[in-house]
């Protein structure tokens, strides 16, 4: 396609400006983190003596090993469980198409736009009744439930596109429903499953509201919840706060950079489907 | 092709006699019944979690909203009084209005920037720069909103980068503590949201543009359409669905905003950045006013639905 050079260059410049606006806050955070603790550094000024040890201090102060361990435990409980039970439900609703399945599906879809604040109050009392307030279960169990509308819709959308001939052939060969699911459809669903897992991982890691309401101890929270507590503690020491924030957001950045293609695709499809 | 006589049609004979028409029908129905049953067994775990941690809390919210309760003692029935409170208390109404103002920053601005930028970028979509930008512009989507809040509180503070840039270009008179000023706190919080959401909208809209037939653009150019005509006649209709998605996602983000505001301003100064999400949190866990918090929660859920549902019609219309 022929596009005037002037338009091409405006496009490039615009893109670069947008990228700068996106990246500069990260750079500012990084540069600030290298200044002497307790000072108010000036913007993007490189410090005379970079205090690299701020990261070590913040690592200690934030008790990073405990936080990483806690978040990992929560992820390990939430993501596989949510993915598996959503896949079962998506398979049933999208492929087996039971009588009345449409109604069940609509019921799930109703939860798609739910703001978490809408149910946080009764959730608190429910979790208290269960006696799991201030434990990781208080985040794990509700999160699985809250992810279901999206996760079931996502997996159903995948199974709806699977050809019925495949299942019929397996049935003729004598496969039970369970074998059909486990031996035929699961292996074929790997891309849909991994995209869903990536999204749920990210949303769990970044979950803030449930973490601060349902768990007092930052070391039993998600990473975002722990970061909130860290800010409360070190809010006045800007360089140390910046160093701590950087440490806490680095794991997601690393995972993002490794899986970036899947991430972007998954998030895009995710919002398109949602 | 040979005509197969009806009698030769494959009939699986179990037992001595072939089953009659009606018993075949019955068998088929039974098998379908069993399959439906096993399908529902597979739905059960997901449904149980969903019921217990989403549907039941919604129902409880509706129930609590009709009582006055401090969360510990006995609850008193007050009917719709809590709802009257939500719509008459200036503080609560104000927080709803703030949320609607946030739509301007969280939704209108990112979508507008994304549309404009995507239209410019379309021409260079295949270049390396476009690929790199996709990764970079996505960064704010990946980090916790809490981290975005911490970052920007520093950038927008009195000594922060924003004020320094203003001084650098000779606009020193404008400098202020952006998040601490009654007039600028809400727009400042809004700009943080815009920073987070622009990348998502841009990538979505760019994806939509790749589906538009390039021949349409060529035709438009040949017919003498300028960039503006071209945008409104071809690009915008072509990405209608993606724009609807962007608006849906960002409007929900605006109405349900919590993380950024909790971290940066806690609703202040005064109530200038108070939003429903934060207000529910305060009412329930600081003021121990469970009834009003629940009524407000129900109102918030309804608001989201009222704003978002019409957008779904645009999405549906395109698919069918």
């Amino acid at each position: 396609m022929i596009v005037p050079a002037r338009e091409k260059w405006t496009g490039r410049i615009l893109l670069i400006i947008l990228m700068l606006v996106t990246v500069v806050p990260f750079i500012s955070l990084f540069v600030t983190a290298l200044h002497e603790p307790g000072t108010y550094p000036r913007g993007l000024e490189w410090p005379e003596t970079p205090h690299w040890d701020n990261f070590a201090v913040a690592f200690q102060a934030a008790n990073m090993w405990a936080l990483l361990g806690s978040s990992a435990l929560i992820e390990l409980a939430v993501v596989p469980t949510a993915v598996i039970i959503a896949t079962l439900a998506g398979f049933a609703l999208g492929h087996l198409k039971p009588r009345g399945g449409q109604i069940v599906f609509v019921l799930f879809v109703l939860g798609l736009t739910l703001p978490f604040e809408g149910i946080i109050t009764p959730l608190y009392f429910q979790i208290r009744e269960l006696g799991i307030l201030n434990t990781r279960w208080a985040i794990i169990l509700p999160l699985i439930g809250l992810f279901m509308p999206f996760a079931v819709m996502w997996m159903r959308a995948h199974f709806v596109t699977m050809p019925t001939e495949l299942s019929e052939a397996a049935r003729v060969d004598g496969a039970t429903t369970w074998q059909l699911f486990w031996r035929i459809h699961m292996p074929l669903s790997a891309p849909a499953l991994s995209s869903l897992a990536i999204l749920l991982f990210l949303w769990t890691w970044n979950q803030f509201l449930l973490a601060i309401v349902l768990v007092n101890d930052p070391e039993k929270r998600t990473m975002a919840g722990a970061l909130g507590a860290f800010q409360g503690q070190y809010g006045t020491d800007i360089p140390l706060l910046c160093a701590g924030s950087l440490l806490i957001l680095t794991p997601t950045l690393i995972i993002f950079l490794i899986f970036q293609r899947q991430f972007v695709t998954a998030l895009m499809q995710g919002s398109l489907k949602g | 092709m040979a005509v197969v006589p009806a009698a030769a049609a494959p009939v699986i004979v179990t037992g001595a006699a072939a089953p009659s028409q009606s018993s075949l029908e019955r068998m088929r129905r039974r098998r379908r019944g069993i399959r439906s049953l096993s399908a529902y067994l597979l739905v059960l775990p997901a449904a149980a979690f969903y019921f217990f941690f989403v549907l039941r809390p919604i129902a409880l919210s509706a129930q609590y909203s009709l009582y006055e309760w401090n969360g510990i003692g006995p609850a008193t029935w007050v009917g719709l009084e809590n709802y009257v409170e939500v719509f008459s208390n200036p503080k609560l109404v104000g927080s709803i209005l703030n949320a609607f103002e946030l739509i301007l920053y969280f939704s209108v601005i990112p979508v507008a920037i994304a549309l404009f930028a995507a239209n410019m970028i379309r021409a260079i979509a295949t270049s390396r720069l476009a690929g790199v930008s996709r990764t970079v512009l996505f960064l704010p989507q990946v980090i916790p909103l809490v981290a975005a809040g911490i970052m920007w509180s520093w950038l927008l503070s009195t000594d922060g980068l924003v004020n320094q840039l203003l001084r650098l270009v000779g606009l020193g008179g404008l400098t202020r503590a952006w998040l601490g000023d009654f007039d600028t706190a809400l727009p400042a919080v809004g700009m943080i949201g815009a920073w987070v959401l622009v990348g998502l909208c841009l990538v979505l809209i760019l994806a939509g543009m790749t589906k538009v037939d390039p021949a349409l653009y060529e035709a438009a150019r040949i017919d003498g359409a300028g960039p503006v005509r071209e945008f409104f006649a071809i690009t915008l209709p072509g990405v209608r669905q993606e724009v609807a998605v962007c608006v849906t996602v960002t409007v929900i983000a605006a109405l349900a905003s919590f993380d950024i505001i909790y971290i940066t301003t806690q609703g202040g100064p005064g109530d200038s950045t108070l939003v429903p999400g934060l207000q529910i949190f305060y009412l329930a866990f600081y003021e121990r006013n469970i009834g009003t918090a629940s009524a407000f929660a129900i109102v918030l859920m309804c608001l989201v639905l009222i704003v978002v549902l019409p957008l779904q019609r645009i999405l549906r219309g395109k698919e069918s």
Side-chain angles (χ1 to χ4, degrees):
Chain A
M1 187 168 56
I2 310 135
V3 177
R6 196 169 53 108
E7 266 182 56
K8 259 191 184 175
W9 280 106
T10 342
R12 285 218 169 86
I13 292 164
L14 233 146
L15 199 52
I16 290 169
I17 292 175
L18 267 179
M19 280 165 69
L20 273 179
V21 173
T22 307
V23 164
V24 163
F26 287 94
I27 298 173
S28 160
L29 196 69
F30 179 67
V31 173
T32 309
L34 292 176
H35 279 79
E36 190 172 335
T39 57
Y40 288 90
R42 294 207 292 139
L44 284 178
E45 209 170 71
W46 189 258
E48 279 174 30
T49 45
H51 286 252
W52 293 102
D53 57 318
N54 280 356
F55 289 108
V57 174
F59 197 96
Q60 287 274 315
N63 212 348
M64 272 298 279
W65 285 125
L67 298 187
L68 280 170
S70 171
S71 305
L73 274 179
I74 293 175
E75 295 281 0
L76 273 176
V78 170
V79 177
T81 317
V83 168
I84 289 169
I85 67 177
T87 307
L88 288 172
F91 173 70
L93 295 175
H95 201 76
L96 301 177
K97 298 194 178 102
R99 247 170 285 168
Q102 203 60 31
I103 299 167
V104 177
F105 180 59
V106 168
L107 218 63
F108 272 108
V109 170
L110 276 181
L112 268 180
T113 59
L114 178 82
F116 285 15
E117 297 101 322
I119 58 163
I120 192 68
T121 315
L123 212 49
Y124 173 85
F125 291 108
Q126 207 167 298
I127 295 294
R128 197 178 67 178
E129 266 164 45
L130 288 173
I132 54 172
L133 210 58
N134 293 326
T135 68
R136 288 188 192 99
W137 293 111
I139 299 174
I140 293 166
L141 298 177
L143 262 193
I144 296 174
L146 283 160
F147 286 157
M148 278 310 112
F150 178 81
V152 169
M153 184 195 60
W154 175 274
M155 289 317 301
R156 179 187 171 273
H158 162 75
F159 284 116
V160 159
T161 62
M162 299 301 276
T164 44
E165 290 81 9
L166 198 70
S167 305
E168 274 158 20
R171 293 259 191 215
V172 169
D173 288 345
T176 63
T177 302
W178 181 251
Q179 285 169 330
L180 182 69
F181 170 73
W182 194 246
R183 308 267 292 274
I184 312 277
H185 282 283
M186 274 298 265
L188 289 172
S189 309
L193 285 173
S194 58
S195 298
L196 181 63
I198 288 172
L199 284 175
L200 296 187
F201 170 84
L202 186 70
W203 293 341
T204 304
W205 190 270
N206 293 347
Q207 176 53 43
F208 182 62
L209 180 65
L210 290 187
I212 61 165
V213 169
L214 302 173
V215 177
N216 271 326
D217 180 358
E219 284 170 26
K220 288 182 189 160
R221 288 180 180 169
T222 60
M223 231 13 156
L227 184 54
F230 189 75
Q231 192 226 18
Q233 247 179 313
Y234 295 91
T236 48
D237 192 333
I238 299 289
L240 213 55
L241 177 66
C242 290
S245 309
L246 263 180
L247 286 179
I248 284 179
L249 58 86
T250 303
T252 27
L253 284 190
I254 292 173
I255 290 176
F256 170 65
L257 291 176
I258 296 172
F259 294 109
Q260 47 169 313
R261 204 161 289 269
Q262 288 95 317
F263 248 106
V264 176
T265 325
L267 261 174
M268 271 172 52
Q269 289 173 348
S271 29
L272 270 178
K273 285 182 188 177
Chain B
M1 199 197 267
V3 179
V4 182
V11 175
I12 302 156
V13 183
T14 49
S20 69
Q21 196 63 31
S22 69
S23 73
L24 244 177
E25 184 62 26
R26 217 179 303 133
M27 247 174 67
R28 207 173 290 147
R29 212 179 296 153
R30 230 186 89 208
R31 210 166 64 196
R32 217 183 142 204
I34 292 169
R35 277 196 197 168
S36 281
L37 198 71
S38 58
Y40 278 117
L41 273 177
L42 298 181
V43 177
L44 196 62
F49 271 97
Y50 180 58
F51 173 79
F52 201 68
F53 293 104
V54 178
L55 294 183
R56 185 170 182 265
I58 293 178
L60 282 175
S61 253
Q63 190 198 340
Y64 295 165
S65 74
L66 303 172
Y67 288 84
E68 192 180 317
W69 185 37
N70 62 8
I72 306 156
T76 346
W77 170 266
V78 291
L80 293 177
E81 231 168 76
N82 287 320
Y83 289 93
V84 175
E85 166 85 2
V86 169
F87 289 112
S88 60
N89 183 333
K91 197 173 168 178
L92 305 190
V93 176
S95 73
I96 296 177
L97 296 180
N98 284 344
F100 275 96
E101 196 178 328
L102 277 186
I103 291 181
L104 175 70
Y105 303 105
F106 277 51
S107 185
V108 178
I109 290 178
V111 172
I113 291 180
L115 265 174
F116 182 68
N119 198 41
M120 289 290 184
I121 292 162
R122 197 191 69 232
I124 54 162
T126 48
S127 76
R128 196 195 198 119
L129 183 67
V132 172
S133 68
R134 200 173 73 151
T135 303
V136 170
L137 293 173
F138 240 77
L139 286 179
Q141 278 291 311
V142 177
I143 62 167
L145 285 172
V146 181
I150 292 178
M151 243 184 230
W152 279 94
S153 336
W154 169 233
L155 290 168
L156 292 166
S157 68
T158 327
D159 298 316
L161 189 64
V162 172
N163 282 335
Q164 277 171 7
L165 288 177
L166 283 175
R167 278 188 213 110
L168 203 71
V169 295
L171 290 170
L174 287 176
T175 58
R176 64 188 79 200
W178 295 93
L179 289 162
D181 191 301
F182 275 90
D183 296 326
T184 57
L186 193 62
V189 162
M191 292 321 289
I192 305 176
W195 177 79
V196 171
L197 292 163
V198 147
L200 177 71
C201 293
L202 181 65
V203 175
L204 274 170
I205 290 172
L206 273 175
M209 282 182 180
T210 59
K211 291 183 303 190
V212 179
D213 185 358
L216 283 176
Y217 286 109
E218 303 223 7
R221 291 270 157 152
I222 290 166
D223 287 349
V228 179
R229 273 291 293 281
E230 185 192 68
F231 174 74
F232 283 105
I234 298 170
T235 308
L236 198 55
V239 296
R240 197 176 61 140
Q241 193 189 2
E242 282 73 20
V243 170
V245 171
C246 288
V247 175
T248 308
V249 174
T250 53
V251 162
I252 295 176
L255 292 179
S257 54
F258 180 84
D259 305 20
I260 293 177
I261 297 172
Y262 180 86
I263 287 295
T264 53
T265 66
Q266 308 246 314
D271 297 326
S272 58
T273 57
L274 196 63
V275 287
L278 207 58
Q279 182 64 68
I280 292 167
F281 176 76
Y282 287 151
L283 278 171
F285 302 108
Y286 284 78
E287 295 172 26
R288 295 244 149 234
N289 187 346
I290 309 301
T292 312
S294 302
F296 206 176
I298 297 285
V299 169
L300 175 62
M301 287 188 256
C302 293
L303 278 180
V304 171
L305 283 180
I306 290 168
V307 178
V308 164
L309 281 183
L311 290 164
Q312 299 308 305
R313 292 196 53 188
I314 302 179
L315 289 175
R316 291 277 150 67
K318 186 81 181 204
E319 267 167 32
S320 61

